[in-house]
Amino acid sequence: MPLFKVENLTYFYPESKEAALKDISLEISEGEFVLVAGGSGSGKSSLARVLAGLIPDFYGGRIGGKASFQGREIRTMDRRMLAREVGMVFQDPEKQIVQTHVEAEIAFGLENLGLDNEVMLRRVAEVISFMDLEQIRCVFTANLSGGQKQKLALASVLAMQPRVLVLDEPTSQLDPVSAEDILNLVKRLNEEMGFTVIMIEQRLERCYHLADRVLLMKKGSIACDGSAREVARKTIKGCTSFVPPVARFFAGMNVPSVPLTVKEGRKLLRSCLKDIKPALERQPGLHPVSYTH
Ligand code: ADP
Ligand code: MG
């Protein structure tokens, strides 16, 4: 059984005449790392909110079709039970953080789950150690940097030990180093700890190759769904803004495959140069530059 099953889902926000999600059908299996890409307003956050049970409960509006988690319709699930299974990290950690101290913030979600004190303290300690937050354990949340706030938001969700992480542009407020830090952590959570990850991201160059699967959204619908390489290959001609820059660079060239990382691009370039070198050498007056990297 898939973890999530969405069937013909259409959703309108209150008082909106245009559907934010249009006839979406998809399945997500346990352990997958799904990257959700697409333009602004294409429905990425709305889809994430459906999976985390916030739409329609929290946002209201009209919904058609069905979204289920482990065979149970999400709408009818007990909120606490769903929060134990599906954790959501929002784009802006400022909006997620409600407590004044780091430790209290991590404990906050656990209190809401109704866990007893001993379990709570243990979970807080575990997540602080796992996420390397020891040094900021007693710091005021208001004094944290953007990267630390995002890490804290993720820590608070992890403390609830969900099975699924839904991340809505978790690096959008961060500098490149903190962004890399968060993305590496998410990758580890998926690969080493088995979390199912559904991540919306704009920085495709940093995470496209990390995903098992890419969902490309357009105007509330799924325009393309497949492995990262498949989606890159299919979309490279039409909408190159949703493939990594290195793939875009090779888009117009007649190369046998689409590279997803700089490393792959370099390898491809090297093999292409090897192929054309003899031809260049046969041309009088042309001396190809050596390419050693
Ligand atoms: P994305 O995350 O891809 O930028 P969204 O899911 O946020 O897209 O938005 C999809 C559509 O729903 C857009 O037309 C947007 O204006 C609308 N929308 C998003 N959030 C709300 C909201 N809280 N209330 C009303 N309309 C919204
Ligand atoms: Mg969004």
Side-chain angles (χ1 to χ4, degrees):
M1 187 199 293
L3 208 52
F4 286 103
K5 186 168 177 150
V6 178
E7 296 163 274
N8 307 107
L9 189 96
T10 295
Y11 171 71
F12 294 82
Y13 282 97
E15 292 165 35
S16 177
K17 289 200 176 69
E18 177 144 21
L21 296 172
K22 296 172 192 159
D23 200 23
I24 303 259
S25 294
L26 61 92
E27 289 184 3
I28 295 173
S29 307
E30 176 124 44
E32 268 191 299
F33 188 141
V34 183
L35 171 68
V36 185
S40 170
S42 59
K44 305 182 297 296
S45 296
S46 304
L47 178 62
R49 289 169 191 155
V50 168
L51 300 179
L54 301 172
I55 280 180
D57 266 24
F58 185 76
Y59 285 86
R62 288 169 291 141
I63 194 161
K66 220 166 127 184
S68 344
F69 178 75
Q70 292 190 306
R72 281 167 296 174
E73 202 167 345
I74 296 176
R75 258 194 288 181
T76 63
M77 282 176 75
D78 174 62
R79 293 295 96 194
R80 275 195 193 182
M81 185 135 90
L82 187 65
R84 277 171 194 250
E85 305 273 1
V86 183
M88 178 145 175
V89 177
F90 297 88
Q91 188 168 354
D92 183 358
E94 299 277 355
K95 292 199 180 123
Q96 192 152 0
I97 293 171
V98 289
Q99 297 290 315
T100 51
H101 282 84
V102 167
E103 231 174 349
E105 178 62 31
I106 299 174
F108 180 70
L110 301 178
E111 280 165 21
N112 286 340
L113 289 185
L115 296 184
D116 69 45
N117 237 8
E118 201 183 316
V119 178
M120 226 162 65
L121 289 175
R122 200 178 57 234
R123 292 246 196 122
V124 171
E126 275 169 4
V127 87
I128 282 180
S129 148
F130 175 74
M131 298 221 21
D132 214 6
L133 297 174
E134 203 60 61
Q135 284 182 342
I136 57 164
R137 186 182 195 124
C138 301
V139 170
F140 272 125
T141 49
N143 293 341
L144 298 176
S145 70
Q148 288 170 327
K149 279 182 184 157
Q150 194 58 277
K151 241 174 146 176
L152 174 58
L154 183 54
S156 312
V157 167
L158 287 182
M160 294 199 253
Q161 299 185 347
R163 211 185 261 244
V164 184
L165 282 176
V166 181
L167 305 135
D168 192 350
E169 299 194 29
T171 70
S172 63
Q173 321 270 327
L174 308 183
D175 61 79
V177 175
S178 317
E180 192 83 48
D181 212 26
I182 291 281
L183 292 175
N184 286 338
L185 188 64
V186 171
K187 183 66 184 165
R188 259 182 70 206
L189 289 168
N190 171 256
E191 273 190 352
E192 292 169 25
M193 304 181 77
F195 280 83
T196 304
V197 172
I198 299 154
M199 183 166 77
I200 301 172
E201 250 299 336
Q202 302 283 357
R203 301 188 193 218
L204 297 183
E205 71 280 14
R206 293 187 193 278
C207 60
Y208 207 91
H209 60 287
L210 302 180
D212 299 314
R213 176 175 170 195
V214 175
L215 280 182
L216 182 63
M217 296 199 65
K218 197 174 172 186
K219 293 184 183 161
S221 303
I222 294 175
C224 204
D225 176 2
S227 74
R229 205 166 294 281
E230 252 165 36
V231 172
R233 194 166 38 76
K234 282 188 192 151
T235 56
I236 194 105
K237 296 258 151 57
C239 47
T240 45
S241 28
F242 301 114
V243 293
V246 63
R248 220 178 301 155
F249 174 79
F250 283 89
M253 303 182 199
N254 192 18
V255 288
S257 62
V258 179
L260 298 183
T261 61
V262 173
K263 188 175 169 186
E264 284 181 16
R266 203 184 289 132
K267 203 166 150 199
L268 187 62
L269 207 53
R270 217 181 289 138
S271 75
C272 291
L273 281 174
K274 209 164 67 208
D275 290 345
I276 62 166
K277 208 173 156 197
L280 287 176
E281 276 167 355
R282 283 196 298 275
Q283 296 284 321
L286 269 184
H287 304 285
V289 284
S290 66
Y291 187 83
T292 48
H293 298 291

